[in-house]
Amino acid sequence: MKKQKAIDNAASQLPPEVRPGQSVELLKQLHILTREGKLNQDSRRKLKQVYHLFQFIEKLLLELPTSDSGPTLADHGAGKSYLGFIIYDLFFKALGQGTIYGIETRSELVESSKALAQKLGFERMRFLNVSVAESTQSSELPEQIDVVTALHACDTATDDAIAFGLQKKARYMVLVPCCQAELARALNQNKAINLQRTPLAELWRHPLHTRELGSQLTNVLRCLYLESQGYQVTVTELVGWEHSMKNELILAKYTGQKKRASAERLLALLAEFGLQSLAVRRFPSV
């Protein structure tokens, strides 16, 4: 009785953001909660962002058909695996089945995530020390993955995550792109020629505009590519602008209905902006 009362008292002193049944030890290990169980402003912002993304992912997980082994989720550019651990704690733990794969290039983060998963008893979490591009060839991953996530995967890592999802026949992809620099570099290469060719080149004449247009155009092309490969695409905000400028959330659901018009528009945009060289490298199936 005394032990239960102590647990109840401890729970009542936690910040309201901590959900019932959530692992307090996990939140402390991720440095979201302090040792005293407090939540600072930066951690509150980070937790709000992850919770908001979890709401989208939970809905997708609930829509998956049931299977003997449970759902599979691959988290690309996992970092410290904040997202993977939170999803496991709030969904996979109670489900009692299913596996989360965290994919990260920094070996020290992979090892620390493995240690934390073992400490918490999160036995159906796996961590791979490979790049997003290399993960498509990894024998440690199953042939089919239900949900692919990439939260702030920088530059072309988001494209690699899309390629991974296509290869693994993912039912859903959840992408928050970041630092889309490849296309901006390509725009710069032929800037003088394009300024003479089309007045549209004024959109990227100045370096700041080049970066902004490159980011916008990259995500537009990604959405068209996903549609051309049989996905229904929704674009929305991850959180309010006051929390993050890297705010675009791309949700893709596989329907099997490939849109030829999307493929044609993708190729037309590449031609209009002088980016045909990206077609084979980034959009090989169009």
Side-chain angles (χ1 to χ4, degrees):
M1 181 69 78
K2 288 183 178 180
K3 183 178 180 180
Q4 183 59 48
K5 187 175 182 180
I7 293 173
D8 292 340
N9 287 337
S12 66
Q13 295 170 8
L14 291 171
E17 288 86 353
V18 178
R19 300 185 179 188
Q22 191 167 9
S23 172
V24 175
E25 181 60 26
L26 169 64
L27 297 179
K28 288 182 178 180
Q29 291 293 328
L30 294 178
H31 302 293
I32 292 175
L33 288 179
T34 65
R35 291 182 180 180
E36 295 75 30
K38 304 299 181 181
L39 193 65
N40 63 37
Q41 192 59 38
D42 183 60
S43 296
R44 183 173 281 106
R45 176 191 58 78
K46 185 179 296 184
L47 192 59
K48 179 179 179 180
Q49 189 180 66
V50 174
Y51 277 165
H52 191 67
L53 188 55
F54 171 73
Q55 289 178 348
F56 289 103
I57 296 171
E58 181 184 33
K59 182 180 178 181
L60 304 182
L61 290 168
L62 289 170
E63 290 178 359
L64 290 172
T66 56
S67 67
D68 294 336
S69 57
T72 51
L73 183 148
D75 182 27
H76 289 283
K80 295 180 180 179
S81 290
Y82 283 97
L83 180 62
F85 277 115
I86 295 293
I87 294 173
Y88 191 97
D89 189 36
L90 295 179
F91 189 89
F92 282 71
K93 185 171 66 176
L95 189 65
Q97 59 176 190
T99 306
I100 291 180
Y101 299 88
I103 297 165
E104 172 58 45
T105 56
R106 289 165 289 184
S107 58
E108 67 277 12
L109 297 183
V110 172
E111 291 306 314
S112 63
S113 293
K114 286 180 179 178
L116 180 55
Q118 185 175 15
K119 179 177 181 178
L120 297 172
F122 290 7
E123 57 188 25
R124 297 187 313 283
M125 291 192 77
R126 308 282 184 268
F127 301 94
L128 286 70
N129 185 202
V130 295
S131 69
V132 181
E134 292 167 342
S135 66
T136 58
Q137 308 301 323
S138 174
S139 60
E140 297 182 57
L141 288 157
E143 292 184 3
Q144 200 273 328
I145 292 286
D146 293 314
V147 181
V148 172
T149 63
L151 177 61
H152 296 160
C154 281
D155 201 6
T156 59
T158 299
D159 300 292
D160 293 334
I162 290 173
F164 173 92
L166 293 177
Q167 179 178 313
K168 297 295 184 179
K169 300 177 176 61
R171 291 186 170 91
Y172 299 101
M173 297 192 216
V174 182
L175 312 167
V176 181
C178 181
C179 310
Q180 301 95 311
E182 181 187 46
L183 194 141
R185 291 192 296 269
L187 286 171
N188 268 325
Q189 288 177 354
N190 300 312
K191 184 178 291 187
I193 296 174
N194 286 321
L195 277 168
Q196 296 175 3
R197 182 179 64 87
T198 171
L200 281 177
E202 292 294 336
L203 293 173
W204 68 94
R205 179 159 63 94
H206 300 287
L208 177 62
H209 293 161
T210 303
R211 186 169 69 247
E212 292 175 345
L213 178 67
S215 177
Q216 175 78 356
L217 185 55
T218 297
N219 288 341
V220 169
L221 293 170
R222 286 166 174 165
C223 291
L224 288 172
Y225 186 48
L226 285 165
E227 288 175 350
S228 76
Q229 300 306 300
Y231 285 82
Q232 177 185 327
V233 177
T234 302
V235 181
T236 186
E237 284 185 339
L238 174 58
V239 290
W241 288 109
E242 72 274 14
H243 295 285
S244 174
M245 293 300 288
K246 303 299 182 181
N247 194 48
E248 188 167 336
L249 172 61
I250 300 172
L251 298 169
K253 175 183 178 179
Y254 186 70
T255 64
Q257 298 176 351
K258 296 185 177 183
K259 294 186 177 180
R260 183 176 178 180
S262 295
E264 291 172 349
R265 289 177 181 178
L266 188 158
L267 293 174
L269 280 175
L270 291 176
E272 185 64 40
F273 286 89
L275 299 168
Q276 295 93 328
S277 61
L278 293 178
V280 175
R281 184 161 72 252
R282 292 298 164 205
F283 313 110
S285 300
V286 172

